[in-house]
Amino acid sequence: MDRSIQYIKGVGAVRAAAFAKLGIKTLEDLLYFFPRTYEDRSEMKTIDSCLINETVCVRVTVSSAVRETRIRRNMVIYTAYVSDDTGMIQAVWYNNKYIKNVFVPGAKFVLYGKIGSARGKLQIENPIYERAGEHKYTGKIVPIYPLTGGLVQKNIQSAMAETLVEVGEIEECLPQEILSEYKLRDINYCMKNIHFPESRDAYNSARRRFVFEELLALQLALFYQKHRNVKNSGYVFDNFSGGEELKKNIPYKLTKAQKRVIADIVGDFKSGRQMNRLIQGDVGSGKTIVAACAAFIAAKNGYQSIMMAPTEILASQHAEELKKTFSGLGVNVVLLVGSMSQKEKSFVRDQVQSGLADVVVGTHAVIQDSVIYNNLGLVIADEQHRFGVNQRAKLCAKGNNPHMLVMSATPIPRTLALILYGDLDISVIDELPPGRKPVKTYAVGESMRKRVYKFIGKSVEEGRQAYVVCPLIEETEGADLQNTRERFEELKRLFPDFEIGIMHGRMKGSEKEAVMERFLSGEVSILVCTTVIEVGVNVPNAGIMVIENAERFGLSQLHQLRGRVGRGCDQAYCILFCLGGGEITKKRMETMCSSNDGFYISEQDLSLRGPGDFFGTRQHGLPDMKIANLFSDTDILKLAQTAARHISDNGLLDTPEYAPLKKRVEKVINRAEILN
Ligand code: ADP
Ligand code: MG
């Protein structure tokens, strides 16, 4: 299996280089290169039963010599009549001079191609052909592989067939007990049938096995990694004093879910092991206060915390909130962001180094080399900052295995969370603070614009505030800016008495901050902006969210944006301006109008996006899947996860029977960024 494919019959050095472009170097690589699709060439038709636009297989005898017709300087057509017992049809090829030597009268072939017509007569166009009796490319289900320059289907198909013969018996990588428990066929049967299926059923069994195998290996790799993290020792925080005072500073009662998650964190703090925990909670579920409690405990135990936010606006808002929450409790909060002056920054850095600062809130500026921590014990980060190996090392160098808490506002189904965040422990805040009214959501067309503006005008007069969000338009540089500007000008003309603000990604941090400040204070009534407000900013008085070109946003993103309103007590509204769009857009809008539940919406999001566009698997650092589809293979995923848990809980991977599986798992670990 480890041999180079170069020595397979028909490959050689040149093609081997082309194969390498597909990531294929060894025989094993090749065998695990699965077809993109299949063509069912198993059914033979008779010529008299061929229909136009059908793709068919026919068994024929050549009736006439090939005729060559030059129709343009670089276009030659080759035609020949072929027949069977039921009739005669013309076969046509373009620019394929070999046809002349091969198709001689009397020769017998099987053709596979599409039926077209010319001058009222049916013809078979550019058919694939092979000599009768060969059965290599016709008369069966034929695999179609992804291609690259320098390779055609036949190259891969024939290399695959050769390799299957050359390799002979393949070593089974799944233990017998797993095969029988999950009713999976053995590797040799499956390998043959994934490439050259005997039948649809055989293909289905083969695919099921490889999907299972792939997901099992991935899940085991993730569990393994988690295991490794957990083994890191961590600081013990066992001083929980000051809780009563902290409670007095919080103007509301924590929800049950918030308390449960805090208990999870406390458990980690007491355990003596490093915490690696993800908090999943819908927008507005109150993750910030949970993080604040964690930082408070760290401070009471004499350790510093970092709270990392994706934007400066959000960082300063967090800093403000924490300062309020900790006021009078002797926990010192500082803000550190890139846009601060050198003088301010160096002042803050001194406080951090001397240990005067207990909680350092900021953007990634807080983990730069120039910031030296006195006693770092806890790092809290937003989802955007999942830590890779380098960052972990960097953070560990700043502290000694500080506890890690990652917060995510993208609710995803549990099966997927296990894959995407398999290396983390997960806590879910599955409850919103009481008294929240669902945001009333409407999808409207351009014809409603006047009425929408009237509604905004009325609400602002009553003292509420509104967001108008314009999409980022990436294809045309600057178009988003123009979009936002135009909307801004329009609203200014329309509402001369209101203060209108504008905010977009091309403004400096300090400028954005200033606008946001004015919106937060209520001075600005309507804020026209791009998605820079998407993450976490909190303006309780904002009750209206208008989203322009809603068709350009994904469902999860729309839900995030909508989460910016409805944080106060008043009924909040979300208006989605939607220009046309197809069925999927319509379904997205319907989902938004009918639900406020982030978990439900994310499931819809996945199903509407469909395979391939799986909310950017790459973005999450997942390895490319060779055959599994994380969304549509949910059932197999669940089985694989059950198996993985069983294997991992019982330490089976280290037993001899599981050695081949362990080897596969190690390969996954080496390939996946998420694990590094
Ligand atoms: P998110 O989970 O989206 O980060 P936040 O932490 O920003 O949510 O909280 C959203 C709002 O809800 C904030 O104004 C916060 O003060 C408030 N909040 C959080 N927890 C509660 C609670 N238990 N009861 C009432 N309001 C709460
Ligand atoms: Mg938040």
Side-chain angles (χ1 to χ4, degrees), residues 40 205 316 347 587:
D40 190 346
S205 313
S316 29
F347 178 72
K587 287 215 180 92

Side-chain angles (χ1 to χ4, degrees), residues 218-219 222-223 225-226 229 276-281 382-387 392 406-427 615 619-622 641 645 674-675:
L218 175 63
Q219 191 66 71
L222 290 161
F223 283 162
Q225 178 69 11
K226 184 165 173 171
N229 288 339
N276 268 290
R277 185 168 293 280
L278 171 81
I279 303 182
Q280 249 195 40
D382 261 279
E383 180 170 29
Q384 276 87 343
H385 300 117
R386 295 219 49 211
F387 301 107
R392 271 208 175 117
V406 179
M407 297 193 283
S408 162
T410 321
I412 48 172
R414 185 168 171 77
T415 44
L416 293 178
L418 272 175
I419 290 285
L420 291 176
Y421 302 110
D423 55 333
L424 303 177
D425 293 313
I426 301 173
S427 296
F615 65 101
Q619 182 191 318
H620 287 275
L622 277 176
Q641 283 173 342
R645 200 163 280 289
I674 196 174
L675 299 167

Side-chain angles (χ1 to χ4, degrees), residues 457-670:
K458 199 171 130 259
S459 304
V460 170
E461 264 159 20
E462 287 167 7
R464 278 188 292 273
Q465 291 165 279
Y467 290 102
V468 177
V469 179
C470 304
L472 286 167
I473 301 171
E474 280 161 12
E475 315 80 275
T476 32
E477 177 94 26
D480 51 330
L481 193 61
Q482 195 193 346
N483 237 18
T484 318
R485 274 258 157 74
E486 272 170 18
R487 205 52 79 194
F488 171 66
E489 299 295 340
E490 181 189 29
L491 288 164
K492 263 204 335 204
R493 270 198 311 278
L494 219 65
F495 300 116
D497 299 337
F498 300 160
E499 196 62 37
I500 318 253
I502 181 167
M503 187 163 83
H504 52 76
R506 251 154 274 199
M507 281 160 61
K508 278 207 295 250
S510 55
E511 291 172 328
K512 284 190 272 188
E513 207 102 345
V515 179
M516 207 58 218
E517 207 56 55
R518 288 170 62 222
F519 189 57
L520 193 58
S521 71
E523 189 188 330
V524 166
S525 303
I526 303 174
L527 181 62
V528 184
C529 50
T530 54
T531 46
V532 287
I533 55 131
E534 189 183 334
V535 271
V537 177
N538 205 359
V539 182
N541 191 46
I544 301 174
M545 165 72 51
V546 176
I547 301 176
E548 300 284 348
N549 297 97
E551 74 281 356
R552 286 178 176 265
F553 294 88
L555 259 182
S556 291
Q557 206 182 5
L558 289 173
H559 180 64
Q560 286 292 313
L561 285 168
R562 181 170 62 179
R564 299 299 109 221
V565 297
R567 300 184 152 227
C569 304
D570 287 343
Q571 176 63 57
Y573 298 88
C574 175
I575 294 146
L576 307 167
F577 274 110
C578 182
L579 295 179
E583 271 306 298
I584 290 187
T585 303
K586 228 173 99 192
K587 287 215 180 92
R588 279 200 184 127
M589 298 306 136
E590 278 166 18
T591 306
M592 284 299 293
C593 296
S594 65
S595 174
N596 268 270
D597 175 352
F599 277 94
Y600 172 76
I601 289 172
S602 77
E603 257 170 50
Q604 293 300 305
D605 197 13
L606 298 184
S607 72
L608 291 177
R609 281 179 186 226
D613 179 30
F614 179 74
F615 65 101
T617 41
R618 283 184 170 271
Q619 182 191 318
H620 287 275
L622 277 176
D624 288 333
M625 293 285 142
K626 284 182 180 297
I627 189 163
N629 176 316
L630 285 174
F631 180 69
S632 55
D633 290 322
T634 313
D635 291 345
I636 308 178
L637 176 57
K638 280 184 188 152
L639 295 180
Q641 283 173 342
T642 310
R645 200 163 280 289
H646 171 74
I647 293 167
S648 151
D649 287 352
N650 295 294
L652 297 177
L653 222 42
D654 292 321
T655 62
E657 221 209 324
Y658 281 72
L661 179 57
K662 188 174 181 182
K663 236 169 65 189
R664 289 213 80 74
V665 173
E666 279 161 357
K667 277 206 177 125
V668 176
I669 292 177
N670 292 335

